[in-house]
Amino acid sequence: MRQPCRLVSRNHVQGKMTHFFDELDDILLTTGGIARYYAFSKMFDYKPSQEIAHYVDELEKRMKDFCLKNISFYQKNGTEMIINKDQVLQNYNELVFPPYNNRRRSVFFKTSGSTGKRLNMILSKKHWIVEQTAFWKYLKVTGYKFREPMAIFRSYTPKEDEPFFKYDQLRNFLYISPYHITEKNIQQIYDLLKQYKIVYLRGYPSSIYLVAKLFNAQGIRLKHIKAVLAASETLYDYQKEYIEQYFDTKIYNWYGQVEGTANIFSCEKGHLHVNEEYGAVKLVPLREEEHLYKIVATQLRNYSLPLVNYDTGDVVQYVPNFKCSCGRNTRVVERIYGREGDYLLSDSGNFLPVTNIYTFFSKLDVIKEFQVVQETNNRVYITIDLLNHTQGEQISNIMNTIARYFENTLQIRDYKITVDRVNKINDGKLRAVYRTEKVSL
């Protein structure tokens, strides 16, 4: 008997076609980025520093000239002022170059919203090729070869009726949702890593740290991991030490943003190099006596929504004139601290760096994840997510330990401790310690 025809809507067909062409475009741009790495970028960092600086200066000048001729915001304000995300949001339409505001010329993204403000970012395809070059450069530092099995704990948020993982056969990537890294799922996650013969891990440091902690709590050992690749969050010392010890391998750090203004990556020697060819990065003194600098950067190839002298809001520790033994002649930063706003205020108004808070919580073994939010000058909310076997008196002891730390060490006396799952932002990123805009400095 002949089966009845299944009607397919025109919108459904168009949606499938759009997805197909987006995938094809992504493959072509990625291939272009890899080709550019071998043709140009592979040896760029080893050129004399003066030659590197001249190359960047020329591209920066070209970008500023373009902005003064074509972008109304810069025509009104010039290209020397420092701008931030608030100004980009307020002047968005005046920063967009209309001929590039389409999928033929550009790719479109949204920032994660970790600051509470999401930005629709438009990146020209020329810039996106350089983005792929930068990522391939980072991968080659780790020893990665094309299509080696990699598990990625980021960039995937399943719908309600979808599994918490998906497999990209072309790239041989296994995506696992950061939202689903739980004690309930941890055995299945281990089985998936074994099934797909995973040898590289990539993702948010908080997610990979949680995987290692849950594996350890279950007595699971995962061997044969060649390297761990951190991205999209600040990598803290306690995370680095725990991850490297558990997986018995090195973790490589990567700094970047959806805005596409600056890039920093770990080299083979473990030092953090500014990727000079990616963007024109200025390190602006914040607290020079502590070698702390803000990252202010200019895009070199993004003509779609060009950002010139963009204040990323991120802070690094930088000591000038350090020469890395890897042979690269690019600037080296000692540490990436992340956002300026990631510190708390004590009752007396003193700044409390988050590093000490992370170190404190890392020593409490039964805590899977934590979050500390200073809602106002006089109120701090602390959320702790505990391992399932934690009960009764142990919970009480943990809460008393936290209370003493906040009262006596941090000098914060108005706080509330809750045992619950922590709140994560888009794509499962965890912002563990921060203050809101209601806190006055």
Side-chain angles (χ1 to χ4, degrees):
M1 182 177 175
R2 191 174 180 179
Q3 296 296 318
C5 293
R6 177 173 173 262
L7 296 179
V8 180
S9 72
R10 184 178 177 182
N11 287 342
H12 177 80
V13 173
Q14 288 177 337
K16 288 282 189 181
M17 291 299 291
T18 299
H19 178 73
F20 169 78
F21 284 114
D22 283 348
E23 286 286 314
L24 179 61
D25 200 34
D26 184 48
I27 292 168
L28 292 173
L29 293 172
T30 300
T31 303
I34 294 172
R36 185 181 179 277
Y37 166 78
Y38 286 108
F40 174 78
S41 191
K42 184 177 180 179
M43 300 307 299
F44 178 83
D45 295 346
Y46 301 94
K47 292 182 177 183
S49 55
Q50 298 90 336
E51 191 174 333
I52 291 173
H54 177 73
Y55 174 85
V56 175
D57 288 345
E58 287 296 310
L59 286 181
E60 184 179 22
K61 181 179 182 301
R62 191 183 305 170
M63 175 57 76
K64 288 182 176 180
D65 289 344
F66 170 84
C67 289
L68 291 171
K69 291 175 183 175
N70 298 282
I71 307 298
S72 60
F73 176 83
Y74 297 112
Q75 289 171 339
K76 293 177 184 177
N77 300 285
T79 56
E80 299 309 311
M81 66 181 289
I82 293 176
I83 62 173
N84 56 31
K85 182 183 279 189
D86 285 337
Q87 289 167 299
V88 174
L89 288 168
Q90 292 163 11
N91 300 278
Y92 188 84
N93 291 332
E94 293 187 359
L95 284 161
V96 174
F97 183 47
Y100 275 52
N101 190 13
N102 56 71
R103 292 190 177 276
R104 189 168 60 87
R105 294 289 191 96
S106 303
V107 292
F108 295 77
F109 296 95
K110 288 184 178 180
T111 59
S112 66
S114 59
T115 61
K117 301 164 186 172
R118 299 198 76 178
L119 171 63
N120 294 319
M121 195 61 210
I122 310 173
L123 299 171
S124 69
K125 289 185 177 180
K126 189 171 184 179
H127 174 92
W128 193 243
I129 287 173
V130 175
E131 183 77 34
Q132 301 311 304
T133 300
F135 184 57
W136 192 252
K137 181 191 289 188
Y138 169 59
L139 286 179
K140 297 311 288 181
V141 166
T142 70
Y144 172 83
K145 296 180 179 64
F146 182 63
R147 294 200 80 252
E148 283 193 282
M150 181 182 295
I152 300 179
F153 296 90
R154 52 161 285 181
S155 304
Y156 176 58
T157 305
K159 297 176 183 175
E160 284 189 23
D161 58 344
E162 293 178 332
F164 65 77
F165 63 93
K166 71 173 183 178
Y167 177 59
D168 180 340
Q169 190 169 6
L170 177 65
R171 295 176 176 85
N172 206 10
F173 288 170
L174 175 67
Y175 289 89
I176 296 175
S177 163
Y179 291 105
H180 293 78
I181 303 170
T182 63
E183 286 176 272
K184 176 184 174 183
N185 295 328
I186 199 64
Q187 183 62 49
Q188 188 178 355
I189 290 173
Y190 172 75
D191 293 340
L192 286 166
L193 298 183
K194 296 292 286 183
Q195 176 186 339
Y196 288 95
K197 298 180 173 58
I198 298 300
V199 292
Y200 284 91
L201 304 178
R202 179 174 179 247
Y204 305 133
S206 62
S207 296
I208 298 175
Y209 173 78
L210 180 57
V211 169
K213 195 153 192 176
L214 291 179
F215 277 172
N216 209 15
Q218 297 286 341
I220 295 172
R221 302 306 303 175
L222 188 66
K223 300 178 181 179
H224 311 304
I225 297 298
K226 293 183 178 181
V228 178
L229 290 70
S232 302
E233 288 180 347
T234 301
L235 174 64
Y236 290 98
D237 287 344
Y238 80 94
Q239 294 170 328
K240 182 177 186 295
E241 290 167 10
Y242 194 95
I243 291 168
E244 289 189 334
Q245 182 176 12
Y246 175 79
F247 291 111
D248 191 25
T249 192
K250 287 176 68 174
I251 186 168
Y252 294 85
N253 203 357
W254 162 278
Y255 167 84
Q257 342 82 22
V258 172
E259 293 94 321
T261 59
N263 175 231
I264 300 170
F265 65 96
S266 295
C267 74
E268 298 85 350
K269 302 296 183 181
H271 295 127
L272 292 162
H273 289 257
V274 176
N275 190 359
E276 308 285 5
E277 63 163 316
Y278 181 90
V281 176
K282 294 182 177 69
L283 298 176
V284 179
L286 183 65
R287 293 200 292 276
E288 212 163 354
E289 69 281 1
E290 300 174 48
H291 305 292
L292 295 181
Y293 294 76
K294 288 200 299 184
I295 299 175
V296 175
T298 296
Q299 295 168 330
L300 298 178
R301 301 167 188 86
N302 183 29
Y303 297 100
S304 304
L305 197 165
L307 299 179
V308 175
N309 288 329
Y310 180 72
D311 183 352
T312 64
D314 293 322
V315 177
V316 297
Q317 189 172 36
Y318 167 65
V319 178
N321 303 318
F322 177 83
K323 175 66 176 173
C324 183
S325 59
C326 75
R328 291 178 176 84
N329 292 313
T330 52
R331 287 172 291 174
V332 174
V333 302
E334 288 191 9
R335 188 186 296 267
I336 303 168
Y337 282 104
R339 304 204 64 79
E340 278 183 88
D342 290 348
Y343 57 80
L344 307 185
L345 289 179
S346 70
D347 292 349
S348 58
N350 293 325
F351 290 172
L352 304 172
V354 300
T355 305
N356 296 340
I357 298 171
Y358 279 106
T359 302
F360 166 75
F361 278 99
S362 73
K363 295 175 181 177
L364 304 177
D365 291 337
V366 296
I367 294 180
K368 289 189 292 186
E369 294 182 294
F370 69 92
Q371 192 164 53
V372 179
V373 182
Q374 187 161 22
E375 184 69 26
T376 68
N377 284 55
N378 302 313
R379 190 67 165 168
V380 172
Y381 292 91
I382 306 158
T383 304
I384 53 174
D385 188 4
L386 304 174
L387 293 170
N388 286 345
H389 61 71
T390 314
Q391 296 177 351
E393 186 176 350
Q394 198 174 13
I395 295 176
S396 178
N397 289 339
I398 286 290
M399 295 182 79
N400 287 336
T401 299
I402 294 170
R404 287 195 299 272
Y405 177 73
F406 273 79
E407 290 180 14
N408 300 333
T409 305
L410 300 185
Q411 300 293 304
I412 294 177
R413 291 177 174 79
D414 191 354
Y415 56 86
K416 180 181 179 181
I417 306 173
T418 304
V419 179
D420 200 355
R421 292 198 69 177
V422 301
N423 291 318
K424 297 186 178 182
I425 57 176
N426 298 287
D427 296 328
K429 188 184 290 188
L430 172 62
R431 195 175 181 197
V433 184
Y434 66 96
R435 67 181 195 277
T436 71
E437 292 183 343
K438 296 178 184 177
V439 179
S440 59
L441 305 180

